[in-house]
Structures are given as structure tokens and as C-alpha cells.
Amino acid sequence: MNGRLERSALSGVLVREVVNFSSYWRSATFSSTVEPTIYLLAFGFGFGSLVSTVGGYSYVEFVGTGTVATAVLFSSAFPAMFGTFVKYQFQRTYDAILAAPVDTEELVTAEALWIATRAGVYGCVPMIVAMFFGLDPAWGMLTVPLIAWLSGFGWACFGIAVAGRAKSIENFSYIVSAVLTPLFLVAGTFFPISTLPHWAQVLAQFNPLHQTVQLVRHAAFGFIWTDVLRVGVLLVFGVLMWRVAIRAMVRKLID
């Protein structure tokens, strides 16, 4: 039976994830934080030596705030896709969980909440690294974990939905190449969206990664009123992907 979201069921799945995470947190943390940090150092100091300022920011500041979205993506969508597929296809973990008083909606919700929490932490790493290279701290940065969590929840649900519809783990390469990579490249992380054609700028406004980049950048340098709309985009994205993920996993695990 779906639609109840009992606290005890959510807590049970979350506790299991925390206990399980304690056995592999080093490798997960390494993979989720080192790659975005390498992007920051490579682009920040590589292009930064050629381009002094971008959009009124130093290039290290520009990339340092932008790569937060990259860290969120790497620590949410990818673990959700591969982790979910392995758990239901090979380990049969979800079959065991659903044998307890937990339904599919509670299972998906708890998984997404846990992945989003990790993304909220990991997403801050590139920004912290950037502080050592010239990014000035600001009070607005205290909102970055929340921004990363909100974005991470949507991407976690996206990854779960993809895993729920994938017939094999090789199918993920299509999603990574055709969906995630283009969204990653036009998120405004490494260059301003204003340099793109007008149609691409319009489409970028529907890119959750772009909204994450802008929110983090404004958290560091000053919020503006349109950021409320950006939060709204992330909320809609999260809720929509949450429902899609639940539907996909119900068809996979129950039907």
C-alpha cells in the first residue's frame, strides 16, 4: 500500500543506509569530492591564467561557486542510478526491505533523502577549497548546504527513476552522454550562459543545474529577488522527479 510515508519506515531505511555507509564512506567521499575539486583547480588555474575576470568575478571565484553544482550532481544522480540498480538487480536488497512494513514510496523517499543529505555535504567541498585560493567567505554561504540538499534530492530521484527503467547497467551511458553531460556543460559552471545563443539561454533556465549554480553564486556574492523563482524551479524538479521515481520503482518491484 502506497501513500502513507510512515516515520518509522523512513527512519528504518535511513538507519540502514547510515550503517551501511559507514563501511564505504571513504571511497564514496573520495569519488564525490575529488573530481569536482580537480575541475576547480584545472579550470580555475588553467583558464584563470588566461581569463582574469568573468561576469565581474575572478575566474577562481566564478568556477569555485559553480563547481558546487558539479559536486552535487556527482554525489546524487550517479550514486542513485548505479546504487539503485545494483540493490534491486544483483543484491536484492529492496526485496528484503519490502518484506518489512515498508512500501515502495517510503523506500524511494528514504533513499532520496539520504542521497540528498550526502550531496548537501559533498557539494560544499569545492567552495571550501576555493576559499583557500581567494574566495571570500560570506554569511550567505551558510545556505549552500540547503541549496545543495534541495538540488541533490531532485537529482537523486532522477537517478532512481532512470535505474527503475533501465534494462541493464550499460543503459546508463545513454543518460550520461545524452542528458547529464549536456546539462552539465550549459549550467554556467565554467562560462557564463550569456555567451550562448538566445535559444540556449532560454533552455538553460529550465536546467536545474544552472539554477543551482546561480543560487550558490548569489549565496556567495549577494542574493537577488529572482532567486525565489530559482528555488521554485528546484522544488518543482524535486517533486516531479520524486513522483516519477516512485512510479518507476513500483513498476519494477511490485508490478
Side-chain angles (χ1 to χ4, degrees), residues 32-162:
S32 297
T33 59
V34 169
E35 190 166 356
T37 302
I38 290 174
Y39 277 120
L40 165 62
L41 298 177
F43 282 89
F45 292 103
F47 287 132
S49 63
L50 303 174
V51 182
S52 57
T53 60
V54 176
Y57 312 113
S58 73
Y59 197 66
V60 172
E61 292 176 337
F62 187 85
V63 175
T65 51
T67 48
V68 170
T70 305
V72 170
L73 180 67
F74 288 166
S75 58
S76 56
F78 291 96
M81 284 193 298
F82 290 96
T84 299
F85 190 87
V86 168
K87 286 176 182 177
Y88 78 71
Q89 185 68 28
F90 302 116
Q91 297 177 343
R92 301 295 180 181
T93 302
Y94 289 162
D95 290 340
I97 292 176
L98 292 177
V102 177
D103 65 21
T104 308
E105 185 169 354
E106 292 164 338
L107 173 61
V108 170
T109 302
E111 289 276 13
L113 288 173
W114 167 241
I115 295 172
T117 301
R118 287 164 47 187
V121 176
Y122 292 154
C124 297
V125 173
M127 187 179 64
I128 294 173
V129 172
M131 290 182 185
F132 290 97
F133 295 97
L135 178 63
D136 293 329
W139 287 109
M141 291 179 180
L142 295 176
T143 64
V144 171
L146 180 59
I147 296 168
W149 185 93
L150 182 60
S151 179
F153 181 83
W155 286 114
C157 292
F158 172 86
I160 294 171
V162 170

